[in-house]
Amino acid sequence: MSTTDRGVVPRLPQKSQMESYLHVLQALILRDMRTRFGGSHWGYMIVVLWPVAHIFMLVLVYVVRHVPAPIGDSRALFFASGAVPALVFQYVSREVMKAVMSNRPLTYYPQVKLFDVIFSRILVEIVTGFLGLLTVFAILVIAGINPVPIDPFTSMCGYLAAILLGIGFGTINVSIMAFFPAWFMGSILFTIVIYITSGVMFLPNFLPDEIYDVLKYNPVVGIIEWVRLGYYPGLPVRIDYSYIMLFSLSLLTIGLLLEKHVVRKVS
């Protein structure tokens, strides 16, 4: 008599379990892209263009006011090189934090875990960030500005560091909000303070050393300098790469551990 004849349900192969998980992840990603801004796939265009519009509104204000760039010949390139990584961090951290708020009812299904909701939003935000970056590049090219850095590898590493910091900050905010829902507004205000003091519109290394040393505790300051170093190789900055990476990875690790061992039990 076969195993099936004896009434024992055969164990599903590992491949089928992985396929099921990928189907769940795909469904969450498609739902994320469809339900934001208007409930259609076209609404995802707004998700991509929203931070791009934010960046160019800031750049336009300073260009129209003829505010000189502290370094280089292009005002637009200087301000964009600071605004892009800062806003990528801000938007990624906020959207990852909002993932659980907007998709919590889905976790009532046994196939969907809280981590799946967070992970799918992270993947969406990574794709969104790169589409936004390509859009910024295209607009600068149309405006007659060469957006390609002198050292593309350095600038791209800084951009990836901004995404990683946003993911880490957003993940740990998910855990904080499980206990203090009001932290959503507190986090937004906190990222605004980080944005203002990060050196988007100025060069922190031109400040007195006492102030500059304090500002360096803000990892976004180092990330912006990291990106700008690809455009201005002679920029006299001191970037603590290990601090930026360890800070980002620590936030992500703590956030995932809290999600697994604390937030799931509370939820």
Side-chain angles (χ1 to χ4, degrees):
M1 181 181 294
S2 65
T3 304
T4 306
D5 293 337
R6 288 197 300 264
V8 180
V9 179
R11 185 178 180 181
L12 290 176
Q14 188 67 29
K15 182 179 178 181
S16 298
Q17 294 178 9
M18 178 58 68
E19 285 178 351
S20 299
Y21 178 74
L22 291 177
H23 286 154
V24 170
L25 203 59
Q26 181 185 22
L28 289 172
I29 291 173
L30 292 176
R31 182 184 185 277
D32 236 358
M33 296 173 65
R34 185 179 178 85
T35 56
R36 290 157 67 183
F37 285 100
S40 69
H41 290 297
W42 290 106
Y44 183 68
M45 295 291 293
I46 301 177
V47 177
V48 175
L49 295 176
W50 197 263
V52 174
H54 191 168
I55 290 167
F56 279 101
M57 284 297 295
L58 292 172
V59 172
L60 187 63
V61 168
Y62 282 85
V63 170
V64 169
R65 292 179 58 190
H66 302 288
V67 177
I71 190 172
D73 301 324
S74 173
R75 299 185 187 93
L77 194 59
F78 173 81
F79 295 132
S81 64
V84 167
L87 289 175
V88 162
F89 156 74
Q90 194 173 29
Y91 275 84
V92 170
S93 63
R94 186 179 66 191
E95 292 303 325
V96 171
M97 177 177 59
K98 287 168 57 179
V100 177
M101 295 174 56
S102 57
N103 294 310
R104 181 172 290 279
L106 295 178
T107 59
Y108 298 150
Y109 295 98
Q111 299 92 338
V112 181
K113 308 300 181 185
L114 193 62
F115 174 79
D116 301 336
V117 172
I118 298 172
F119 185 51
S120 64
R121 179 61 64 90
I122 287 173
L123 293 178
V124 170
E125 291 309 312
I126 290 174
V127 174
T128 302
F130 275 100
L131 289 176
L133 180 63
L134 292 175
T135 305
V136 171
F137 268 50
I139 294 174
L140 289 175
V141 169
I142 293 172
I145 300 170
N146 180 15
V148 180
I150 297 173
D151 185 356
F153 180 75
T154 297
S155 291
M156 184 54 65
C157 287
Y159 183 78
L160 292 174
I163 293 177
L164 178 61
L165 180 63
I167 292 172
F169 192 70
T171 303
I172 202 168
N173 280 340
V174 169
S175 303
I176 296 175
M177 284 183 56
F179 299 95
F180 307 103
W183 174 244
F184 178 74
M185 289 304 302
S187 174
I188 293 177
L189 294 175
F190 184 65
T191 54
I192 291 174
V193 172
I194 290 177
Y195 175 83
I196 294 172
T197 60
S198 60
V200 173
M201 302 303 175
F202 63 94
L203 289 175
N205 58 295
F206 283 2
L207 298 173
D209 289 341
E210 295 79 6
I211 300 177
Y212 183 47
D213 290 339
V214 173
L215 290 179
K216 293 289 283 186
Y217 285 103
N218 175 1
V220 181
V221 172
I223 288 174
I224 290 176
E225 291 178 337
W226 195 343
V227 172
R228 280 183 173 152
L229 196 60
Y231 286 92
Y232 313 103
L235 194 64
V237 294
R238 306 186 304 270
I239 304 174
D240 192 344
Y241 300 103
S242 58
Y243 171 74
I244 295 171
M245 298 306 296
L246 287 174
F247 189 92
S248 303
L249 291 173
S250 297
L251 287 181
L252 179 58
T253 302
I254 294 171
L256 291 177
L257 288 174
L258 287 174
E259 185 276 329
K260 180 178 181 180
H261 298 289
V262 179
V263 178
R264 288 185 192 180
K265 296 179 181 179
V266 172
S267 302

